[in-house]
Amino acid sequence: GAVVSQHPSRVICKSGTSVKIECRSLDFQATTMFWYRQFPKQSLMLMATSNEGSKATYEQGVEKDKFLINHASLTLSTLTVTSAHPEDSSFYICSARDFNSPLHFGNGTRLTVT
Amino acid sequence: RKEVEQDPGPFNVPEGATVAFNCTYSNSASQSFFWYRQDCRKEPKLLMSVYSSGNEDGRFTAQLNRASQYISLLIRDSKLSDSATYLCVVNRYSSASKIIFGSGTRLSIRP
């Protein structure tokens, strides 16, 4: 069964609104969670890495004020896309792991901004 | 040059064929290695970890060559259901642990 739960799986919102995506590890403590974005027919792109209780580390070119990441507990991280625009429409995926274990992925969130 | 490189493919092979992918990595601090598969519009799923001694799981064999800095995935007796994108994933540790993804190799199995 799924070890990482991501919610919602699909969201459609209007331009200018904010969208929050949740990522939960179900049966392990996720010391590190990762957020990715994937455009159609392209590879996963790491957006940021978050460690529980500390600020997220963002990849170059990712605006931290636009993509707010909170990792307040060992089982929950959230990504908030603030003031979403159509170009933010994408497939957002989280992953989580405990130390050096393999990554487990959430099932992704398909965001469509109209 | 990307830190983890894969041939993007697509590889188009007949059912029952054997197919192999390579993935090269440039950072010698890389510590652990994995193959993931991703189906269209779905999240990646772990296929197998790659161990130094090589490992096999059914029709799938993974190998690691640290000297040449590459990992490989061999699929024998390919099935239609093997059609997917295969992602090479490298975990390295320098000042902090970092996961690096290859861009993926697309595999299409034809009847």
Side-chain angles (χ1 to χ4, degrees):
Chain A
V3 295
V4 174
S5 172
Q6 187 172 341
H7 180 79
S9 58
R10 185 180 293 270
V11 59
I12 301 172
C13 69
K14 292 190 175 183
S15 187
T17 60
S18 294
V19 175
K20 180 185 280 189
I21 303 169
E22 291 189 350
C23 181
R24 294 180 185 275
S25 58
L26 298 181
D27 56 4
F28 67 100
Q29 292 184 327
T31 52
T32 308
M33 285 186 168
F34 304 87
W35 287 96
Y36 305 84
R37 182 166 53 181
Q38 186 174 37
F39 293 107
K41 297 188 178 181
Q42 294 189 22
S43 61
L44 286 168
M45 291 180 58
L46 179 65
M47 299 175 67
T49 301
S50 74
N51 294 295
E52 183 266 338
S54 61
K55 288 184 179 180
T57 301
Y58 289 81
E59 294 298 300
Q60 194 171 11
V62 179
E63 300 173 57
K64 62 181 180 181
D65 293 330
K66 180 168 181 64
F67 299 99
L68 301 178
I69 291 173
N70 184 283
H71 191 168
S73 77
L74 282 170
T75 59
L76 174 65
S77 176
T78 60
L79 167 68
T80 301
V81 183
T82 62
S83 187
H85 291 285
E87 59 265 30
D88 297 324
S89 298
S90 187
F91 189 48
Y92 292 85
I93 309 175
C94 73
S95 67
R97 67 172 183 177
D98 182 10
F99 295 108
N100 285 322
S101 65
L103 286 174
H104 296 285
F105 286 85
N107 54 8
T109 297
R110 192 159 301 282
L111 171 64
T112 303
V113 185
T114 61
Chain B
R1 185 187 171 204
K2 294 181 182 177
E3 186 168 341
V4 177
E5 297 216 52
Q6 292 183 253
D7 183 338
F11 285 65
N12 189 320
V13 302
E15 196 173 5
T18 295
V19 61
F21 313 134
N22 276 347
C23 166
T24 59
Y25 60 95
S26 60
N27 194 317
S28 58
S30 302
Q31 292 183 315
S32 49
F33 309 86
F34 309 92
W35 284 103
Y36 282 75
R37 78 169 268 168
Q38 185 176 23
D39 293 293
C40 187
R41 300 169 72 88
K42 296 283 184 65
E43 78 281 12
K45 292 188 186 296
L46 178 66
L47 180 64
M48 57 198 304
S49 302
V50 186
Y51 303 119
S52 297
S53 55
N55 48 300
E56 188 174 308
D57 182 3
R59 299 181 293 109
F60 299 85
T61 301
Q63 293 200 311
L64 166 64
N65 185 318
R66 286 192 185 272
S68 300
Q69 296 188 183
Y70 75 85
I71 67 171
S72 64
L73 177 67
L74 180 79
I75 305 175
R76 290 183 300 278
D77 188 23
S78 54
K79 312 290 185 191
L80 295 176
S81 58
D82 293 334
S83 297
T85 296
Y86 290 83
L87 302 170
C88 166
V89 180
V90 173
N91 179 19
R92 66 166 163 84
Y93 189 90
S94 51
S95 56
S97 186
K98 189 162 186 176
I99 304 284
I100 314 292
F101 277 84
S103 55
T105 297
R106 283 188 294 136
L107 173 66
S108 178
I109 307 297
R110 63 179 188 268

